[in-house]
Amino acid sequence: MTVKKVENIIAPPAPHMVGDGFRVHNFIPHLQQLNRERMNPFILLDYNAKMEFSPRKEPRGVGVHPHRGFETVTIVYKGKVAHHDSRGNSGVIGPGDIQWMTAASGVLHKEYHEESFSQKGGEFHVVQLWINLPAKDKKADPKYQSIINSQIPKVELPDNAGQIEVIAGKYQETDGIASTFTPMHLLNVLLNKGGSAEFSFPTDYNTAVLVVEGSVKINNNELVPTDYFALFENKGETFTIQAVNKATVLILSGEPIKEPITAYGPFVMNNVAELKQAYIDLGAGKFGKLDD
């Protein structure tokens, strides 16, 4: 095994609002070095860094909107997020929980601050990923995986170093809970101060980490602060992460989907004709109905 080196350490870009409930730094695909082709199957990463929301009677969020051709994965670190979609799925996820929605052939959904959280206000800290689907699955039936933290398989690290939450893929001999269409690994790494862990992924997998809390050193020499993103080279397999102080790190590593990507707004397809068809189908009511 050879060492997988860091290609780039990236500061969070300027934030913008998504709806009125999510103040996000868009790492993927806003930054050229993190474009969709480079990061595929991870085609969007919106990071709502930890911030305080004031109490509000009417919940903030994003109203009804469509998706087709990919999956959305929402990971909550602080606060609570409520979801409804046109397939009848709904739920609330809180700290440590995950919502994995497969839009595939098309779905309408809305997401917003959960009502009681909105009324009290407080810290809000969330990641949303968009995960591409291969062409053969872009017209699959939509589905919804609501994953509470107690369901996520966990690996305790030796010497009180910390814990790995295996969301998707595998860590050591432990399989993740989420079902995926293509091979990938999605891990929450919770390290105590000074704790370290080793990871190994195939050379060609697109691999990166987001430091959600604390700061870490990668391979004993690359310092990555809070809210920064580290992209790895597509060379080598193994790397280590050591916590400078108590830290939470999101790791994503996935096999590239080597197909054309044509995206516009809420749709990610393989060509322009498919995008046009998505808008036709949306107008024809084929994504279902969902009230605001």
Side-chain angles (χ1 to χ4, degrees):
M1 292 284 189
T2 57
V3 174
K4 183 179 284 292
K5 297 180 180 179
V6 172
E7 179 178 307
N8 208 347
I9 297 173
I10 302 164
H16 67 275
M17 293 301 295
V18 176
D20 63 358
F22 302 88
R23 180 180 179 271
V24 303
H25 306 275
N26 179 253
F27 284 97
I28 306 170
H30 174 74
L31 301 172
Q32 179 56 36
Q33 64 266 48
L34 300 178
N35 62 47
R36 294 184 185 94
E37 287 73 18
R38 174 63 179 90
M39 297 308 301
N40 200 1
F42 309 105
I43 51 175
L44 179 143
L45 193 156
D46 271 346
Y47 175 51
N48 190 130
K50 188 188 299 182
M51 68 172 294
E52 187 86 16
F53 275 94
S54 60
R56 181 173 169 177
K57 184 176 180 181
E58 186 69 24
R60 301 173 174 91
V62 183
V64 176
H65 57 284
H67 289 306
R68 172 180 278 184
F70 61 96
E71 303 181 283
T72 68
V73 179
T74 305
I75 304 170
V76 176
Y77 295 97
K78 296 281 186 181
K80 289 185 177 181
V81 176
H83 160 91
H84 287 84
D85 68 38
S86 56
R87 290 296 179 118
N89 299 304
S90 64
V92 174
I93 53 173
D97 301 339
I98 296 161
Q99 169 197 292
W100 196 300
M101 186 186 78
T102 304
S105 62
V107 71
L108 304 175
H109 85 142
K110 57 183 177 180
E111 48 201 338
Y112 44 91
H113 297 185
E114 184 269 337
E115 188 173 356
S116 65
F117 170 78
S118 182
Q119 290 175 354
K120 294 176 183 176
E123 287 186 333
F124 194 73
H125 198 184
V126 174
V127 169
Q128 185 169 95
L129 286 168
W130 289 11
I131 297 178
N132 199 14
L133 291 172
K136 67 182 181 63
D137 296 313
K138 286 186 179 291
K139 292 294 185 68
D141 288 337
K143 67 176 184 176
Y144 179 78
Q145 302 175 73
S146 181
I147 303 168
I148 62 172
N149 188 261
S150 61
Q151 297 173 318
I152 300 173
K154 299 172 178 67
V155 177
E156 297 295 332
L157 298 170
D159 303 320
N160 195 37
Q163 183 184 78
I164 311 290
E165 296 180 345
V166 190
I167 301 166
K170 177 176 282 198
Y171 181 73
Q172 296 177 353
E173 300 304 313
T174 300
D175 292 322
I177 186 172
S179 71
T180 66
F181 285 79
T182 59
M184 70 185 67
H185 304 277
L186 195 60
L187 311 173
N188 259 330
V189 181
L190 315 174
L191 293 175
N192 296 320
K193 182 178 180 179
S196 65
E198 183 175 89
F199 304 89
S200 182
F201 304 115
T203 298
D204 65 329
Y205 277 32
N206 291 326
T207 301
V209 304
L210 174 67
V211 180
V212 176
E213 292 273 9
S215 58
V216 301
K217 280 189 175 181
I218 297 175
N219 295 331
N220 296 316
N221 58 13
E222 300 279 4
L223 180 65
V224 189
T226 309
D227 300 337
Y228 276 58
F229 188 94
L231 173 66
F232 287 88
E233 296 179 351
N234 291 114
K235 301 175 184 176
E237 297 89 20
T238 65
F239 61 92
T240 60
I241 297 178
Q242 183 178 35
V244 175
N245 41 45
K246 191 172 183 180
T248 299
V249 179
L250 177 65
I251 295 181
L252 41 151
S253 182
E255 182 179 68
I257 299 172
K258 296 178 180 179
E259 298 173 351
I261 299 174
T262 305
Y264 188 80
F267 304 135
V268 181
M269 306 304 293
N270 296 109
N271 55 59
V272 172
E274 291 174 341
L275 284 181
K276 290 180 178 178
Q277 188 62 50
Y279 280 98
I280 292 169
D281 291 346
L282 176 65
K286 294 183 179 180
F287 285 45
K289 293 183 179 180
L290 184 64
D291 294 331
D292 285 314

